[in-house]
Amino acid sequence: MSIENEELVAFFKVLADANRLKIVGLLAQRPYSGGELAAVLGLKASTVSHHLSRLAQVGLVSARAEGYYSIYRLEEKALQKTRLLFSHTNLVSVAAGVDVDGYDRKVIGDFTRPDGSLKEIPAQRKKLEAILRYVVRDFELGKRYSEKQVNEILSRFHEDTASLRRELVGAKLMEREAGGGEYWRI
Amino acid sequence: MSIENEELVAFFKVLADANRLKIVGLLAQRPYSGGELAAVLGLKASTVSHHLSRLAQVGLVSARAEGYYSIYRLEEKALQKTRLLFSHTNLVSVAAGVDVDGYDRKVIGDFTRPDGSLKEIPAQRKKLEAILRYVVRDFELGKRYSEKQVNEILSRFHEDTASLRRELVGAKLMEREAGGGEYWRI
DNA sequence: AAATCAATTCGATACATATCGAATTGATTT
DNA sequence: AAATCAATTCGATATGTATCGAATTGATTT
């Protein structure tokens, strides 16, 4: 579905050259032989051959043999594919292979000891939130905890359980019953 | 009007990198700080800064200062410009600055002596046509010539005036009066 | 004022590639 | 069969740039 990431990079790499763009522009008007393109662009035949080869690799141009000439033409099919290149869904899919939890993992690595406990509670908002997401994983979803139970679990991470508890609620990762006693994970 | 050639090359150059594409994909979902992007992509901050700078150069992303963070976001305006990137008229305009007569000039250089006369008459069709376009320029548009006058002009280029005359008519660069005598340039 | 933090800049390095000339290939013409 | 021609391939060179670490900048916090 849509266009593979590597394929997309290759596509842009091919277009990211002034002379190849000119070739595309010329072929948009009529087919050309390699020699004609070389003369028109002021390049050597070997250079043009290289460019045409790269354009062909991504399917932008195709060649037809005619005598000892090669006549190149633009591939309309490849151009149609470009219509949706910059649509939102396609852009999002570009980031699909990315490890989106990398930031949390880095922060967790910085602030935890080998046994998983916290060296300290981060003062910075973003880092604190990453740590809170880390801590909250020890609470089961759908289960209710008394304040005492909450503190016991939090004490595995840091002695300042009151702060952790308050921040977890503030960050909307846990919720507290209106009346008083019980907590649960959101 | 439309998009300048150099600007277009710069645009593709910027997109022609896997990590920059990923950044675009991530920013398509929400704004990120440089540090977050570095962590998510597994790159150093300096590298990400470099990429963001290049993306900003072509207007694809913009930065907003927040504390000592820089929050980057995708520029929707730049994305809209891409809608017509691959339209026929835009592609043709890419070749606008190109010297389309380069081929003729090359052939003419190959087949003429310093005084402008022909070393020989090309046997190959394409080259012959280029030479004929060169020769026919010595005839005025709208003026009628007798066969004798035609031969006199052609003799400046080559002794085989009969061949040149016949080819000029065959290539539809000149026309001959049905009855017989006179020629004119088309 | 000093320490901290993210971002940026700078210099160095490693890798990719545009371009050319020379040699080769495949086809056509003589 | 030999000569000619366009195209392609190959090797070398020069340029561009992605990446990193170190140093610097600008802002915030202590």
Side-chain angles (χ1 to χ4, degrees), chain B residues 125-158:
Chain B
R125 185 92 238 135
K126 274 180 184 167
K127 294 177 180 176
L128 173 60
E129 284 169 1
I131 289 301
L132 292 174
R133 281 189 290 273
Y134 162 66
V135 167
V136 82
R137 291 187 297 191
D138 266 25
F139 293 87
E140 289 177 32
L141 279 166
K143 183 173 173 184
R144 300 173 79 92
Y145 298 86
S146 70
E147 182 161 322
K148 188 175 218 172
Q149 289 174 309
V150 169
N151 285 344
E152 194 222 314
I153 293 176
L154 292 180
S155 67
R156 302 173 199 162
F157 297 99
H158 199 272

Side-chain angles (χ1 to χ4, degrees), chain B residues 21-132:
Chain B
L21 269 187
K22 285 180 190 168
I23 290 176
V24 170
L26 289 166
L27 294 185
Q29 303 174 60
R30 67 171 177 85
Y32 276 79
S33 73
E36 284 177 295
L37 289 172
V40 168
L41 296 172
L43 295 174
K44 296 303 167 183
S46 56
T47 303
V48 171
S49 191
H50 166 70
H51 287 318
L52 288 168
S53 150
R54 299 215 52 186
L55 287 165
Q57 274 171 27
V58 297
L60 270 170
V61 310
S62 63
R64 149 178 69 91
E66 188 166 302
Y68 34 61
Y69 292 88
S70 290
I71 309 296
Y72 286 89
R73 66 185 190 82
L74 201 58
E75 276 296 313
E76 300 295 339
K77 282 173 289 183
L79 287 184
Q80 287 167 3
K81 273 198 194 176
T82 66
R83 287 295 135 79
L84 295 171
L85 262 194
F86 295 96
S87 67
H88 182 78
T89 52
N90 204 47
L91 288 184
V92 168
S93 83
V94 168
V98 170
D99 173 20
V100 220
D101 294 328
Y103 180 68
D104 279 22
R105 183 146 49 253
K106 180 182 185 310
V107 173
I108 291 166
D110 287 349
F111 280 86
T112 58
R113 285 187 264 265
D115 67 356
S117 68
L118 298 175
K119 298 178 195 165
E120 54 175 329
I121 299 178
Q124 295 201 317
R125 185 92 238 135
K126 274 180 184 167
K127 294 177 180 176
L128 173 60
E129 284 169 1
I131 289 301
L132 292 174

